[in-house]
Amino acid sequence: MKQTIILAWALAVGVGKRMAAQPALPPFFDTHVAPAATKLPPFAVQNPDHQLSPFTGMTRAHWQQAAQYLLGGAFSYVRTLDDPMQFPKQPGKSYPRSASQVPTEKLEGLCRTLFMAAPLLKENPGLVLNGVKVGDYYRHQLALLVDPASPSFIQPRAATGGPSQNLVEFGGLSVALFAAPEILWDPLPKETKDKLAATMLSYGDGPTVPQNWRYFNIFILSFYQSRGYAVNEKLLEEYLQKQLTHYKGAGWYDDAPTFDYYSMWAFQMYGRLWSHYYGQAHYPQVAAQLAENFALLKDNYPYQFGRDGNMLMWGRSITYRFAAVVPFPLMGLAPTVPGTNFGWMRRIASGALLQFLQNPDFLQDNIPTLGFYGPFDPAVQAYSCRGSVFWMAKAFLGLLVPADNPFWTATENEGPWASEFKPGTVANKFEAGPNILVTDYPNSGAAELRDAPRQPASDGNRGNENYNRLSYNTAFPWQADGPHGEVAMSYVFKTKDDTWEALRFYTFKKYENGVYYRDATPESTSTLKLQLAEMPLPNGILRVDQNASTTATALRLGHYALPQLAGPIKRSTRRVKGHEVHLLDNGTYQLALVPLSGWQKVEVVEATGLHPSASKSAVLNAVGTTAPTPRPALYATLLLWKKSGEKWTDAELLPVQKVAAANGGATVTLADGSRREIAY
């Protein structure tokens, strides 16, 4: 079993031998778990408190209700204390792919549901769900993990064993043991405690992956040291120091090799809780450094969420969804940072919870789907099983913050969206270190993010749409690329073998005068290269990208994609001062693409099965060529959006008078007569 899991992990995180292509998935392995007998109704905020929470109605009590709602879905598969936390498998690339992986699948369901069960049990030790006493269930299941006669038994790591998913889950279990020892640990018989210690330490006192995984070892070693067991303190201290080296500034850790939500639902969350439960008392210098790295979050991270709290679809493991908000309630733990707008932090966190909990496609068989809203296999990683989704329950570790904390008692507000951001403007926040640009759009309430990843296709979890889009927007979840050149918010190039390849290797250049610069190429050749320059505008983006290719091929640029929701997506064209404007409207948003220079034509491309929000979608694609010319071609494009029902003025559709090549770059003359020099 261990070797199978390690192989799956190696393929998932992209370590070991790099392959030209991912291996074909084996035939579907069915775990034969029947759907729950009853179906959960959609989540509703009962008796909303619009005085304390005027935007969401959500208070701490509603967070508890949400946690119990999701936990109740998991317990709809539990009828006796022996029943595992195992759920119907979703077709696609997820595991288990063989019987040997089933024990780890069950371990994931058990340990990850504890992220919401532990805070609930601390305040209600007698909690009963589906006729089962929840506290009794978890204590019984912990004993089964170390019972060789149980189907849930987890073998200790062999002396030569490497990192595996078991390490991940035991690290998460240690978080729950720290949070609620009086429920989960103290009542256990000494024999069970000793067996758990031996098994969990066999993983914790061992090799790991040089990224957020070190925290799994850190938590296992720290918990058992706090309970009087002998642990490898030297290894603990080594991993603590190495985790600090991942910090790059502005609240961001790189997850070796990417920036994504692992910085938040792993590095920042684990660091905060480890310091709270253990580090401040035993490693105060490390805890102080972690607190310093955490403190900057309030000035950067909240801007990454839309006005309504909606989060971006960005990065691998996006099925964990609102786990990304866990730093906000943890801002209430000591040491708190002066000037924290707790009302805005809770408004964001509650809004992100409702973004998913109130989506009708979120649950299937009472369990969150593997996807973003409904099932969406292009966003699923091979290391995920159905129970993996409960990593999102990390958000409910915020319930460990006391009820009288300002995170819970402050009145909800919209922060700068209400007090600083003005209609008709755009707000950019550049985060040096990670070189991330976050843009907030007051006109639409959307937030957007750009960075500069460099991920090969052989890394199946990072060398794709999870990272390689030109930008990510809270209003427009990313659409997967199609086999015929269908592309959204990226460039694709026609290859020699008649396929299409997207940009994958980005190099950050600078952020200057409101313009974000990167160079980018596809992976297969460096002879195709673009020098990217993008300027956020009040209703969208001006792109002035320069062709630096030395070979000729077909080229396509996609706008964001629109899902088909209530009816067919409307398409139209309009001429504004000699420019043809192409428009799409799905009843929720309108998109406009205006080719300014370098393009041959614009197409409306319909797709099926590529969008996370609906089976059908449409996107505007600009079509051109990379053919070298005496003067490098400028691909100048306006990519604009508005909410449906709002009228476009000519000035909004053409906020640019002229784009002209100049001195190896370009000069942009805006509609108000002002100029911006583009210097690649």
Side-chain angles (χ1 to χ4, degrees), residues 291-367:
E292 183 179 328
N293 297 349
F294 186 90
L296 293 179
L297 280 183
K298 75 176 184 65
D299 299 319
N300 297 289
Y301 190 50
Y303 294 81
Q304 188 176 308
F305 293 78
R307 184 169 188 164
D308 54 6
N310 277 13
M311 62 176 284
L312 300 164
M313 183 181 180
W314 171 56
R316 69 187 178 97
S317 302
I318 195 60
T319 55
Y320 303 159
R321 291 128 160 150
F322 52 69
V325 306
V326 66
F328 297 127
L330 297 186
M331 289 178 183
L333 296 179
T336 57
V337 181
T340 303
N341 184 343
F342 284 105
W344 185 32
M345 301 303 107
R346 194 176 76 254
R347 190 274 176 272
I348 294 170
S350 295
L353 259 64
L354 295 178
Q355 175 185 359
F356 299 98
L357 287 170
Q358 294 188 330
N359 187 287
D361 298 324
F362 176 59
L363 295 188
Q364 191 175 87
D365 305 323
N366 294 349
I367 304 298

Side-chain angles (χ1 to χ4, degrees), residues 115 166-176 200 215-217 219-220 270:
F115 291 142
N166 293 342
L167 169 62
V168 178
E169 306 316 318
F170 282 139
L173 174 57
S174 299
V175 175
M200 292 174 68
Y215 267 117
F216 308 135
N217 305 72
F219 262 92
I220 294 169
Y270 290 129

